[in-house]
């Protein structure tokens, strides 16, 4: 089986890293080691969940992003805004004010990511493909249920596909269209960019904290009685606005549906699903890596609970929002033809290399080493725990 190549958006600044082990102890997949006083990420094991970024006290871990000036390389400068970005602002800030600020920054079109959520159909039993960190987690650590992951584009990809076609219908060539996604997390950057670079529809990403600061600066410096004037993007339905929240998907499907957020909770659940018969006959699993889902993304600025509350309150006004796809039948038909993704492949992290006899021999070596290690899992050795140290020694990666 050919190994899946992952792109990673999380980077380490060695000049800032002090080797404190905070990131290593928080990593849910054991992908981080401290070697020669600096943290390093084992790329084959990392799922870009961002737990290490949140734990780092020196800001040595960061998420790369594209140069904002890149948007001016295109005639049609499109920004895809998730609902959690709107939730970063207080209830007193209107969507008109936020969208008008985005136009002032240089964008020519503003669209909302969840616009195509109502178009996404599912066949059960499945695991949601919404969160790329969870998709990678399953590929790396729980490869058995990979075939159960929904092979449908998540809203960001579906919306980019839809609006790219809409803009082509409006007379823009493909080379003139630059669609930029505002991301609340590193995993979405890694997923969108991938090992082969960005897709033909999405040309770049903008970190949510960066764009928030730009928009906030514009709003703060506006005159007191300023009245924004801009073309508003198509209105989202109540269902679409809540799609990125915990339970946003499961509420709309029948059968036994479970929604689990925060990556450690997800890992515990998947381990239970593997080892017991308690988790059976589940029709749909909504798994999210961040606490409160995208509201708790590592690139979000506002408190995750306040963000979730603001999105919910804004969505209450959308009960009767119409579905307005009928005037773009060609784009809708195109999206339906390109809504699926190719089958995913398991990419389990290999603890040892070699044939079965060599692997068993190495496992025995680890068992013997564990008899001499203290078992206190302090992390002082540069590995997350004593078991990991023993495995690193057998792999000749530690002493």
């Amino acid at each position: 089986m050919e190994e899946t190549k992952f792109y990673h958006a999380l980077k380490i600044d060695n000049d800032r890293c002090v080797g404190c082990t905070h990131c290593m102890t928080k990593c849910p997949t054991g992908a981080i080691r401290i070697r020669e006083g600096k943290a390093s990420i084992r790329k084959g094991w990392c799922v870009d969940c961002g737990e290490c970024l949140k734990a780092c006290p020196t800001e040595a871990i960061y998420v790369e992003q594209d140069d904002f000036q890149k948007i001016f390389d295109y005639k049609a400068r499109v920004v895809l805004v998730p609902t959690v970005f709107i939730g970063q602002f207080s209830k007193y800030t209107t969507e008109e004010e936020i969208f008008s600020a985005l136009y002032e920054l240089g964008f020519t079109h503003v669209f909302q990511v969840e616009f195509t959520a109502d178009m996404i159909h599912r066949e059960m039993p499945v695991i949601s493909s919404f969160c790329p960190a969870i998709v990678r987690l399953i590929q790396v650590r729980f490869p058995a249920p990979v075939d159960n992951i929904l092979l449908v584009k998540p809203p960001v990809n579906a919306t980019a596909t839809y609006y790219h076609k809409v803009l082509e219908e409006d007379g823009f060539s493909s080379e003139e269209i630059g669609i930029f996604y505002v991301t609340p997390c590193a995993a979405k950057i890694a997923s969108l960019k991938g090992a082969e670079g960005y897709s033909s529809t999405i040309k770049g990403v903008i970190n949510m904290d960066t764009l928030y600061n730009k928009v906030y600066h514009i709003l703060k410096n506006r005159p007191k009685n300023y009245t924004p004037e801009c073309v508003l993007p198509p209105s989202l339905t109540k269902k679409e606005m809540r799609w990125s929240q915990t339970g946003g998907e499961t509420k709309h499907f029948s059968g036994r549906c479970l929604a689990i957020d925060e990556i450690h909770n997800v890992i515990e659940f998947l381990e239970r699903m593997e080892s017991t018969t308690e988790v059976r006959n589940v029709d749909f699993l909504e798994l999210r890596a961040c606490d409160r889902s995208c509201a708790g993304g590592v690139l979000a600025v506002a408190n995750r609970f306040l963000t979730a509350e603001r999105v919910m309150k804004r969505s209450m006004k959308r009960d009767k929002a119409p579905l307005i796809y009928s005037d773009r039948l060609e784009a809708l038909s195109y999206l339906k033809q390109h809504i699926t993704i190719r089958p995913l492949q398991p990419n389990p992290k290999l603890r040892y290399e070699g044939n079965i006899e060599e692997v068993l021999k190495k496992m025995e070596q680890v068992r013997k080493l564990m008899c001499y290690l203290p078992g206190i899992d302090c992390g002082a050795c540069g590995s997350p725990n004593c078991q990991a140290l023993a495995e690193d020694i057998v792999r000749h990666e530690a002493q």
Side-chain angles (χ1 to χ4, degrees):
M1 181 179 63
E2 184 179 354
E3 182 180 358
T4 302
K5 298 295 184 181
F6 288 152
Y7 173 85
H8 296 283
L10 288 167
K11 309 295 181 182
I12 297 177
D13 184 345
N14 285 332
D15 293 333
R16 290 190 172 189
C17 181
V18 295
C20 65
T21 76
H22 283 71
C23 58
M24 182 181 70
T25 56
K26 289 292 185 180
C27 180
T29 60
I32 297 179
R33 298 291 188 273
I34 308 297
R35 296 290 183 259
E36 299 181 358
K38 303 293 181 182
S40 62
I41 300 176
R42 191 188 301 271
K43 294 184 177 181
W45 296 12
C46 175
V47 297
D48 286 275
C49 65
E51 290 295 312
C52 56
L53 184 148
K54 292 190 291 184
C56 181
T58 63
E59 298 182 350
I61 299 176
Y62 63 95
V63 179
E64 70 169 7
Q65 67 175 327
D66 295 306
D67 183 1
F68 187 81
Q69 298 302 312
K70 182 180 177 182
I71 71 171
F72 297 103
D73 293 341
Y74 301 92
K75 184 177 180 180
R77 300 179 292 277
V78 184
V79 58
L80 290 183
V81 182
T83 55
V84 290
F85 180 73
I86 308 300
Q88 303 298 294
F89 300 88
S90 74
K91 64 180 180 180
Y92 303 107
T93 305
T94 66
E95 293 179 27
E96 289 84 353
E97 291 176 315
I98 298 170
F99 294 143
S100 65
L102 292 173
Y103 284 113
E104 287 185 38
L105 287 172
F107 293 105
T108 59
H109 299 77
V110 177
F111 298 126
Q112 299 185 81
V113 170
E114 292 81 4
F115 180 70
T116 54
D118 276 324
M119 298 183 189
I120 299 174
H121 302 285
R122 290 169 162 73
E123 297 178 1
M124 300 183 181
V126 293
I127 299 172
S128 171
S129 59
F130 179 89
C131 180
I134 295 302
V135 172
R136 287 193 177 188
L137 176 69
I138 293 174
Q139 288 178 285
V140 169
R141 187 164 171 178
F142 303 95
V146 163
D147 292 339
N148 294 96
I149 296 175
L150 180 69
L151 297 181
V152 172
K153 290 180 178 178
V156 57
N157 302 84
T159 300
T161 300
Y162 176 79
Y163 278 117
H164 193 276
K165 188 64 176 178
V166 167
L167 291 172
E168 285 185 330
E169 292 176 8
D170 289 343
F172 293 98
S173 67
S174 181
E175 293 74 19
E176 293 176 325
I177 302 172
I179 298 180
F180 294 83
Y181 171 60
V182 182
T183 178
C185 72
K188 285 186 170 64
I189 299 176
S191 174
L192 291 173
K193 192 165 186 178
E196 299 174 356
Y198 291 118
S199 66
S200 58
T201 53
I202 295 180
K203 302 301 183 183
V205 292
I206 304 170
N207 291 357
M208 184 175 290
D209 52 358
T210 298
L211 190 62
Y212 171 85
N213 290 332
K214 290 179 180 292
V215 172
Y216 180 80
H217 178 76
I218 290 176
L219 297 180
K220 186 177 180 180
N221 290 281
R222 278 177 173 172
K224 187 174 182 180
N225 297 322
Y226 180 85
T227 301
E229 294 182 3
C230 65
V231 178
L232 293 177
S235 180
L236 299 181
T237 64
K238 180 178 179 180
K239 172 182 175 181
E240 289 169 339
M241 284 204 73
R242 297 182 178 183
W243 195 265
S244 61
Q245 304 298 304
T246 301
E249 294 180 85
T250 57
K251 291 179 181 178
H252 304 284
F253 301 98
S254 59
R256 189 184 182 193
C257 303
L258 299 176
I260 303 162
D261 61 12
E262 207 281 322
I263 193 164
H264 294 92
N265 295 333
V266 172
I267 289 173
E268 180 184 357
F269 179 83
L270 291 175
E271 287 176 343
R272 184 178 293 271
M273 191 169 68
E274 278 189 340
S275 60
T276 71
T277 59
E278 182 180 358
V279 184
R280 291 291 184 272
N281 302 319
V282 177
D283 297 301
F284 181 75
L285 282 177
E286 175 195 306
L287 307 177
R288 308 285 177 83
C290 296
D291 188 5
R292 305 298 299 180
S293 295
C294 289
V298 296
L299 296 175
V301 176
N303 177 275
R304 61 188 183 279
F305 299 105
L306 292 176
T307 298
E309 180 195 37
R310 292 165 183 166
V311 171
M312 290 293 286
K313 286 186 175 180
R314 290 180 187 267
S315 71
M316 295 300 292
K317 303 175 183 179
R318 305 297 180 87
D319 285 341
K320 297 181 180 180
L323 297 179
I324 52 174
Y325 310 134
S326 57
D327 60 337
R328 294 290 187 174
L329 294 179
E330 184 177 344
L332 176 59
S333 175
Y334 180 83
L335 174 60
K336 289 181 177 179
Q337 295 172 15
H338 297 82
I339 195 68
T340 58
I341 59 176
R342 62 185 180 184
L344 299 169
Q345 299 298 323
N347 191 30
K349 62 176 188 180
L350 299 177
R351 295 184 182 275
Y352 318 104
E353 295 182 353
N355 56 39
I356 185 65
E357 293 181 356
E358 293 171 335
V359 170
L360 290 173
K361 183 179 179 180
K362 291 176 181 178
M363 291 175 66
E364 178 62 19
Q365 291 175 334
V366 169
R367 189 190 68 79
K368 291 180 179 179
L369 283 171
M370 286 297 293
C371 297
Y372 297 96
L373 295 175
I376 59 176
D377 298 340
C378 63
C381 61
S383 298
N385 50 55
C386 291
Q387 175 75 25
L389 174 61
E391 294 171 357
D392 289 345
I393 292 172
V394 170
R395 288 194 295 263
H396 303 291
E397 296 175 0
Q399 295 181 351

